[in-house]
Amino acid sequence: RPAITLTGVSKRFDTGTLALDGLNLRVAEGEFLSLLGPSGCGKSTALRLIAGLAEPSSGTVTREAGASEIGFVFQEPTLMPWATAFGNVWMPLRLKGVGRRQARDPVMEALERVGLQDFAGAYPRELSGGMKMRVSIARALVGRPKILLMDEPFAALDEITRFRLNDELLELWRKAGWTGVFVTHSVFESVFLSQRVAILSARPGHVVEELEIDEPYPRD
Ligand code: ADP
Ligand code: ADP
């Protein structure tokens, strides 16, 4: 059964830009889907609509998860510079009223999942780009989301870090099995990470092709 359904979704901004035009998309529960397409084709817009951060101009968006059950990883790490890695990952729980003591186990577990258990006390300025992105992923995972949305999360990273994080993300997903939508303009990333790739037309955005990837890239 679909966890996310977009039916005939269009989005026109006040500026007159038509970012999406009749987008149809279904993501099954536990599926990891990549949205692939060139810059400006509406991928971020589609992701924001799925997250409920924006409303479609027409069409419908439905998702089998409450707002608090959605994790969002942005292109930039968007960490609070004045807070440690622990503080940043704690933030979404803190907003729900979870105190530091109560947050300790889930926060440390999330940091451990991205291999940063030894950096809980480090500030963003002390971390590399890849580590900051790992903290962002831990922050998205700490609330145990049903749906994880990622908007070109590795775009700003060097190739080697990017490759490592792709590998780690695939491993995390295999263990946790959340429903994932991954926005990218990298053909490699989309094929490596996901079970299905939806390709958007340049503009205005709608799905022009869907590829089933039987097996994610074989490992071990
Ligand atoms: P992508 O993520 O594929 O690069 P976006 O969804 O960011 O594409 O943008 C799709 C189109 O909509 C682009 O032309 C972009 O400039 C435009 N756009 C995105 N957000 C806004 C906004 N808030 N207001 C006006 N235009 C926007
Ligand atoms: P991405 O590269 O992740 O798609 P963008 O650089 O397109 O992101 O957009 C970054 C921010 O600027 C978003 O909040 C988006 O909604 C907004 N934005 C993008 N294009 C426009 C635009 N033409 N007019 C106003 N806001 C825009």
Side-chain angles (χ1 to χ4, degrees), residues 126-219:
E126 302 171 303
L127 300 172
S128 70
M131 289 162 106
K132 280 189 276 215
M133 191 43 78
R134 287 191 182 92
V135 175
S136 292
I137 292 171
R139 182 179 57 188
L141 293 177
V142 74
R144 298 192 168 276
K146 286 189 180 159
I147 296 177
L148 186 64
L149 306 175
M150 289 164 280
D151 191 357
E152 299 196 37
F154 310 138
L157 302 174
D158 66 87
E159 287 283 307
I160 292 173
T161 307
R162 195 174 175 138
F163 189 81
R164 277 205 196 111
L165 285 177
N166 269 305
D167 214 34
E168 289 172 19
L169 186 60
L170 192 56
E171 200 58 37
L172 276 173
W173 174 73
R174 281 179 171 159
K175 282 183 196 149
W178 60 73
T179 303
V181 181
F182 187 89
V183 160
T184 183
H185 54 234
S186 158
V187 174
F188 170 81
E189 259 177 20
S190 67
V191 172
F192 180 85
L193 280 171
S194 54
Q195 297 165 305
R196 194 156 55 90
V197 182
I199 304 174
L200 293 183
S201 71
R203 70 181 63 219
H206 58 273
V207 172
V208 285
E209 194 76 64
E210 291 198 13
L211 306 176
E212 297 281 344
I213 315 290
D214 289 342
E215 279 286 320
Y217 187 78
R219 302 182 63 251

Side-chain angles (χ1 to χ4, degrees), residues 13 15 17 39-40 43-45 48 75 151-152:
F13 289 103
T15 53
T17 304
S39 222
K43 303 182 297 295
S44 298
T45 301
R48 288 194 191 104
Q75 185 170 336
D151 191 357
E152 299 196 37

Side-chain angles (χ1 to χ4, degrees), residues 85-94 96-117 120 134-145 172:
F86 184 99
N88 272 284
V89 175
W90 175 23
M91 195 262 289
L93 298 180
R94 197 173 181 176
K96 286 194 250 174
V98 179
R100 176 177 280 274
R101 187 179 305 219
Q102 227 185 322
R104 205 191 131 73
D105 284 353
V107 168
M108 288 311 293
E109 192 198 313
L111 283 171
E112 204 173 315
R113 280 160 88 180
V114 297
L116 287 182
Q117 63 278 7
R134 287 191 182 92
V135 175
S136 292
I137 292 171
R139 182 179 57 188
L141 293 177
V142 74
R144 298 192 168 276
L172 276 173

